[in-house]
Amino acid sequence: MRKRRIAILGSTGSIGRQALDVVARHPELFEVVALSAHSQAELLFDQVRAHRPRLAGLSAGEVPLPVDVRGSQWFFGPEALSQIAGLADCDDVLVSVVGMVGLAGVLAARQAGRRVLLANKEALVAGGHLVMSLCPPSADDPTLIPVDSEHSAIYQCLMAAAHNPYERIILTASGGPFRDFTSKQMREVQPQDALRHPNWQMGPKITVDSASMFNKALELIEAKWLFDAGTDQLEVLIHPQSIVHSMVAFADGAVLAQLGLPDMRAPIAFAMAYPKRIVSGTAPLRLDQLGTLQFEAPDTERFPALRLAVQALRAGGAASCVLNAANEVAVDAFLKRRIRFTDIAAVVEDSLQGLGALPADSLEAVMEADRLARDRAGRQITRITLEDT
Ligand code: MG
């Protein structure tokens, strides 16, 4: 069998490294043809030495190249990602970069006709309409396979549904470290508390997003685009053990769920080897040892993120892009101790109120909405810091 040729954008991040772990387990199945990172040059050099990709890039800018990595063609700077996505001679492009840069990467990969394995949130949240217009549905040869554990679960449940329409999508959420906190306790939360996720090992931005449930808000928006869901078909269910990765409900009352231990290598391997199932390194699930799985409704009073996501979905246009950008600026300010944890949602709400009706019909329009939301969120954060002192 011919190897699947894969380009990995964001290969030094958590998802990228785990994808390379899956490749290392199956050298007979995969060939790495391109690797890119933002600024972790030394780790990228090691990956290039191990996989010898034809293309490589660093989006943070040019650095001196060690002699033994010069066999690859190198790209530097903000355009590197889209250049590699467009030029890589490959079957699949795994987009596992963090941030808005993922949108341009996804669009470039699709314009070049590559299948996108999507582990970047911003592409669909900010540019869902643009991305999906380049991703026609195809049962035999999918153009876009989600890597996020929840969306991978929903994708797998829908595969098992033999093209029957679904009634509801139920995204599970661990509830994060503050699931049982009072509103008062949440006001006092410090960055180090928010950076401790009970189940998943992830980067700092997504870990804070999990604690605030903005991660689930972004995932609701992604699910709308990926599965063409109406806002009232999307539900969130708190499930602290993170074993049921998400569920889909059908007209006959049946609910299909996908289960597994919380290990991202499972959804990564699923996307990379689709439609085959291969060893991913994830340990087997033993439900008898777990005993109990819990479920409860989310509290949108303490976690306004879910309410704001629904508001953004109903507003349409660039509202989701605004939500994402304002959240990113607010999380950064929280990690720098400039605002409180509970201010994150307030900053996002303010941006949605002021900028909720911008268009998102081109990459330029999306980038402009993103810029305006960052500006407004920045001004709102300054206001909050001044009030607090
Ligand atoms: Mg997720």
Side-chain angles (χ1 to χ4, degrees):
M1 198 184 84
R2 188 177 68 80
K3 291 184 187 185
R4 283 198 78 80
R5 296 159 303 166
I6 187 168
I8 303 179
L9 308 181
S11 62
T12 58
S14 165
I15 298 290
R17 292 196 313 269
Q18 293 181 80
L20 288 174
D21 180 77
V22 172
V23 169
R25 286 165 195 274
H26 303 278
E28 74 292 356
L29 294 182
F30 303 109
E31 179 188 351
V32 177
V33 299
L35 291 171
S36 88
H38 180 60
S39 59
Q40 289 196 64
E42 290 307 322
L43 177 52
L44 181 64
F45 294 155
D46 284 343
Q47 293 177 341
V48 167
R49 288 179 190 111
H51 296 281
R52 297 283 161 210
R54 262 159 286 175
L55 312 181
L58 278 163
S59 55
E62 188 152 5
V63 297
L65 293 177
V67 176
D68 59 354
V69 302
R70 291 184 195 164
S72 303
Q73 185 185 353
W74 282 83
F75 298 83
F76 300 100
E79 304 296 316
L81 215 96
S82 306
Q83 288 169 330
I84 290 176
L87 290 172
D89 181 18
C90 63
D91 303 291
D92 304 308
V93 178
L94 171 61
V95 182
S96 52
V97 295
V98 178
M100 281 292 284
V101 63
L103 173 56
V106 168
L107 296 179
R110 281 304 305 143
Q111 277 152 1
R114 310 303 175 213
R115 175 182 292 171
V116 170
L117 316 182
L118 187 64
N120 165 275
K121 290 225 148 73
E122 290 79 3
L124 281 176
V125 170
H129 168 72
L130 300 175
V131 171
M132 294 318 289
S133 68
L134 291 176
C135 296
S138 164
D140 305 327
D141 188 18
T143 52
L144 178 66
I145 301 180
V147 170
D148 204 350
S149 62
E150 293 79 358
H151 304 92
S152 176
I154 297 161
Y155 193 94
Q156 294 177 53
C157 292
L158 290 174
M159 272 173 74
H163 306 292
N164 279 287
Y166 62 85
E167 296 269 297
R168 288 174 298 135
I169 285 174
I170 303 153
L171 279 121
T172 50
S174 73
F178 313 137
R179 183 165 57 91
D180 299 320
F181 276 34
T182 62
S183 304
K184 188 167 173 291
Q185 282 175 306
M186 284 176 68
R187 262 179 73 76
E188 305 307 325
V189 159
Q190 297 297 310
Q192 62 270 24
D193 309 322
L195 289 173
R196 239 177 269 129
H197 194 277
N199 304 339
W200 295 98
Q201 292 296 320
M202 305 174 293
K205 160 72 167 52
I206 182 169
T207 306
V208 174
D209 282 347
S210 294
S212 67
M213 294 203 62
F214 266 104
N215 184 51
K216 212 50 56 179
L218 300 176
E219 289 179 357
L220 271 182
I221 298 166
E222 288 185 277
K224 170 226 151 71
W225 289 110
L226 281 169
F227 309 114
D228 194 22
T231 309
D232 48 8
Q233 288 180 294
L234 295 166
E235 286 179 22
V236 172
L237 186 64
I238 304 291
H239 167 44
Q241 292 85 6
S242 300
I243 296 296
V244 175
H245 296 312
S246 276
M247 303 182 247
V248 182
F250 295 90
D252 57 1
V255 176
L256 299 189
Q258 188 260 338
L259 286 72
L261 290 174
D263 184 327
M264 284 307 294
R265 289 175 300 180
I268 291 169
F270 172 80
M272 285 172 58
Y274 177 94
K276 288 200 165 38
R277 300 242 179 212
I278 58 171
V279 170
S280 69
T282 303
L285 173 63
R286 303 270 179 229
L287 284 172
D288 56 335
Q289 285 166 19
L290 281 164
T292 307
L293 298 179
Q294 296 163 276
F295 302 94
E296 64 192 47
D299 177 353
T300 51
E301 285 295 313
R302 286 183 303 129
F303 297 98
L306 299 177
R307 174 174 58 77
L308 294 172
V310 171
Q311 191 183 319
L313 281 173
R314 295 203 198 281
S320 300
C321 171
V322 166
L323 173 142
N324 170 68
N327 176 56
E328 206 175 304
V329 174
V331 168
D332 185 60
F334 165 68
L335 288 173
K336 290 178 175 145
R337 300 174 185 277
R338 295 186 61 213
I339 59 171
R340 290 174 189 271
F341 183 71
T342 43
D343 289 331
I344 296 173
V347 170
V348 173
E349 183 147 31
D350 170 77
S351 291
L352 271 182
Q353 261 155 22
L355 302 168
L358 295 170
D361 45 9
S362 67
L363 182 57
E364 293 70 31
V366 171
M367 298 312 287
E368 176 67 0
D370 179 77
R371 194 185 62 74
L372 289 170
R374 281 167 204 276
D375 280 0
R376 185 176 173 114
R379 287 196 302 276
Q380 183 67 4
I381 286 161
T382 307
R383 225 170 281 139
I384 291 171
T385 15
L386 290 176
E387 278 167 17
D388 241 29
T389 47

PDB file of all heavy atoms in Angstrom, residues 121-133:
ATOM      1  N   LYS A 121      -8.688  25.701  16.036  1.00  0.00           N
ATOM      2  CA  LYS A 121     -10.060  26.132  16.325  1.00  0.00           C
ATOM      3  C   LYS A 121     -10.457  27.343  15.512  1.00  0.00           C
ATOM      4  O   LYS A 121     -11.578  27.458  15.025  1.00  0.00           O
ATOM      5  CB  LYS A 121     -10.169  26.505  17.811  1.00  0.00           C
ATOM      6  CG  LYS A 121     -10.073  25.322  18.726  1.00  0.00           C
ATOM      7  CD  LYS A 121     -11.137  25.381  19.790  1.00  0.00           C
ATOM      8  CE  LYS A 121     -11.545  23.973  20.166  1.00  0.00           C
ATOM      9  NZ  LYS A 121     -10.527  23.273  20.950  1.00  0.00           N
ATOM     10  N   GLU A 122      -9.518  28.283  15.361  1.00  0.00           N
ATOM     11  CA  GLU A 122      -9.846  29.589  14.792  1.00  0.00           C
ATOM     12  C   GLU A 122     -10.352  29.490  13.355  1.00  0.00           C
ATOM     13  O   GLU A 122     -11.176  30.302  12.938  1.00  0.00           O
ATOM     14  CB  GLU A 122      -8.629  30.512  14.863  1.00  0.00           C
ATOM     15  CG  GLU A 122      -8.276  30.964  16.280  1.00  0.00           C
ATOM     16  CD  GLU A 122      -7.529  29.906  17.094  1.00  0.00           C
ATOM     17  OE1 GLU A 122      -7.230  28.820  16.550  1.00  0.00           O
ATOM     18  OE2 GLU A 122      -7.266  30.171  18.271  1.00  0.00           O
ATOM     19  N   ALA A 123      -9.851  28.509  12.599  1.00  0.00           N
ATOM     20  CA  ALA A 123     -10.235  28.419  11.183  1.00  0.00           C
ATOM     21  C   ALA A 123     -11.754  28.359  11.043  1.00  0.00           C
ATOM     22  O   ALA A 123     -12.341  29.115  10.272  1.00  0.00           O
ATOM     23  CB  ALA A 123      -9.577  27.200  10.544  1.00  0.00           C
ATOM     24  N   LEU A 124     -12.391  27.474  11.798  1.00  0.00           N
ATOM     25  CA  LEU A 124     -13.845  27.339  11.678  1.00  0.00           C
ATOM     26  C   LEU A 124     -14.581  28.388  12.487  1.00  0.00           C
ATOM     27  O   LEU A 124     -15.631  28.885  12.075  1.00  0.00           O
ATOM     28  CB  LEU A 124     -14.293  25.950  12.128  1.00  0.00           C
ATOM     29  CG  LEU A 124     -14.087  24.824  11.120  1.00  0.00           C
ATOM     30  CD1 LEU A 124     -14.481  23.492  11.737  1.00  0.00           C
ATOM     31  CD2 LEU A 124     -14.879  25.069   9.840  1.00  0.00           C
ATOM     32  N   VAL A 125     -14.059  28.740  13.649  1.00  0.00           N
ATOM     33  CA  VAL A 125     -14.765  29.704  14.494  1.00  0.00           C
ATOM     34  C   VAL A 125     -14.811  31.065  13.808  1.00  0.00           C
ATOM     35  O   VAL A 125     -15.853  31.714  13.751  1.00  0.00           O
ATOM     36  CB  VAL A 125     -14.082  29.820  15.878  1.00  0.00           C
ATOM     37  CG1 VAL A 125     -14.656  30.982  16.678  1.00  0.00           C
ATOM     38  CG2 VAL A 125     -14.265  28.520  16.650  1.00  0.00           C
ATOM     39  N   ALA A 126     -13.679  31.487  13.262  1.00  0.00           N
ATOM     40  CA  ALA A 126     -13.626  32.815  12.646  1.00  0.00           C
ATOM     41  C   ALA A 126     -14.048  32.774  11.180  1.00  0.00           C
ATOM     42  O   ALA A 126     -14.696  33.688  10.696  1.00  0.00           O
ATOM     43  CB  ALA A 126     -12.210  33.383  12.763  1.00  0.00           C
ATOM     44  N   GLY A 127     -13.669  31.707  10.482  1.00  0.00           N
ATOM     45  CA  GLY A 127     -13.898  31.679   9.031  1.00  0.00           C
ATOM     46  C   GLY A 127     -14.691  30.470   8.581  1.00  0.00           C
ATOM     47  O   GLY A 127     -14.460  29.959   7.478  1.00  0.00           O
ATOM     48  N   GLY A 128     -15.642  30.026   9.393  1.00  0.00           N
ATOM     49  CA  GLY A 128     -16.390  28.804   9.092  1.00  0.00           C
ATOM     50  C   GLY A 128     -17.002  28.800   7.703  1.00  0.00           C
ATOM     51  O   GLY A 128     -16.906  27.810   6.969  1.00  0.00           O
ATOM     52  N   HIS A 129     -17.596  29.917   7.333  1.00  0.00           N
ATOM     53  CA  HIS A 129     -18.251  30.001   6.033  1.00  0.00           C
ATOM     54  C   HIS A 129     -17.230  29.854   4.894  1.00  0.00           C
ATOM     55  O   HIS A 129     -17.462  29.132   3.916  1.00  0.00           O
ATOM     56  CB  HIS A 129     -19.002  31.337   5.946  1.00  0.00           C
ATOM     57  CG  HIS A 129     -19.469  31.682   4.578  1.00  0.00           C
ATOM     58  ND1 HIS A 129     -20.507  31.025   3.971  1.00  0.00           N
ATOM     59  CD2 HIS A 129     -19.023  32.589   3.683  1.00  0.00           C
ATOM     60  CE1 HIS A 129     -20.682  31.511   2.759  1.00  0.00           C
ATOM     61  NE2 HIS A 129     -19.798  32.469   2.564  1.00  0.00           N
ATOM     62  N   LEU A 130     -16.076  30.514   5.056  1.00  0.00           N
ATOM     63  CA  LEU A 130     -15.029  30.446   4.032  1.00  0.00           C
ATOM     64  C   LEU A 130     -14.471  29.027   3.917  1.00  0.00           C
ATOM     65  O   LEU A 130     -14.263  28.519   2.816  1.00  0.00           O
ATOM     66  CB  LEU A 130     -13.882  31.408   4.370  1.00  0.00           C
ATOM     67  CG  LEU A 130     -14.232  32.889   4.474  1.00  0.00           C
ATOM     68  CD1 LEU A 130     -13.017  33.669   4.943  1.00  0.00           C
ATOM     69  CD2 LEU A 130     -14.720  33.399   3.125  1.00  0.00           C
ATOM     70  N   VAL A 131     -14.208  28.409   5.064  1.00  0.00           N
ATOM     71  CA  VAL A 131     -13.625  27.066   5.066  1.00  0.00           C
ATOM     72  C   VAL A 131     -14.602  26.063   4.455  1.00  0.00           C
ATOM     73  O   VAL A 131     -14.244  25.283   3.568  1.00  0.00           O
ATOM     74  CB  VAL A 131     -13.243  26.635   6.502  1.00  0.00           C
ATOM     75  CG1 VAL A 131     -12.854  25.166   6.550  1.00  0.00           C
ATOM     76  CG2 VAL A 131     -12.097  27.501   7.020  1.00  0.00           C
ATOM     77  N   MET A 132     -15.870  26.096   4.901  1.00  0.00           N
ATOM     78  CA  MET A 132     -16.811  25.067   4.455  1.00  0.00           C
ATOM     79  C   MET A 132     -17.151  25.219   2.975  1.00  0.00           C
ATOM     80  O   MET A 132     -17.486  24.234   2.318  1.00  0.00           O
ATOM     81  CB  MET A 132     -18.078  25.081   5.322  1.00  0.00           C
ATOM     82  CG  MET A 132     -17.843  24.682   6.777  1.00  0.00           C
ATOM     83  SD  MET A 132     -16.735  23.266   7.067  1.00  0.00           S
ATOM     84  CE  MET A 132     -17.747  21.896   6.486  1.00  0.00           C
ATOM     85  N   SER A 133     -17.043  26.455   2.452  1.00  0.00           N
ATOM     86  CA  SER A 133     -17.311  26.621   1.024  1.00  0.00           C
ATOM     87  C   SER A 133     -16.225  25.923   0.192  1.00  0.00           C
ATOM     88  O   SER A 133     -16.435  25.628  -0.982  1.00  0.00           O
ATOM     89  CB  SER A 133     -17.413  28.108   0.665  1.00  0.00           C
ATOM     90  OG  SER A 133     -16.155  28.723   0.797  1.00  0.00           O
TER      91      SER A 133
END
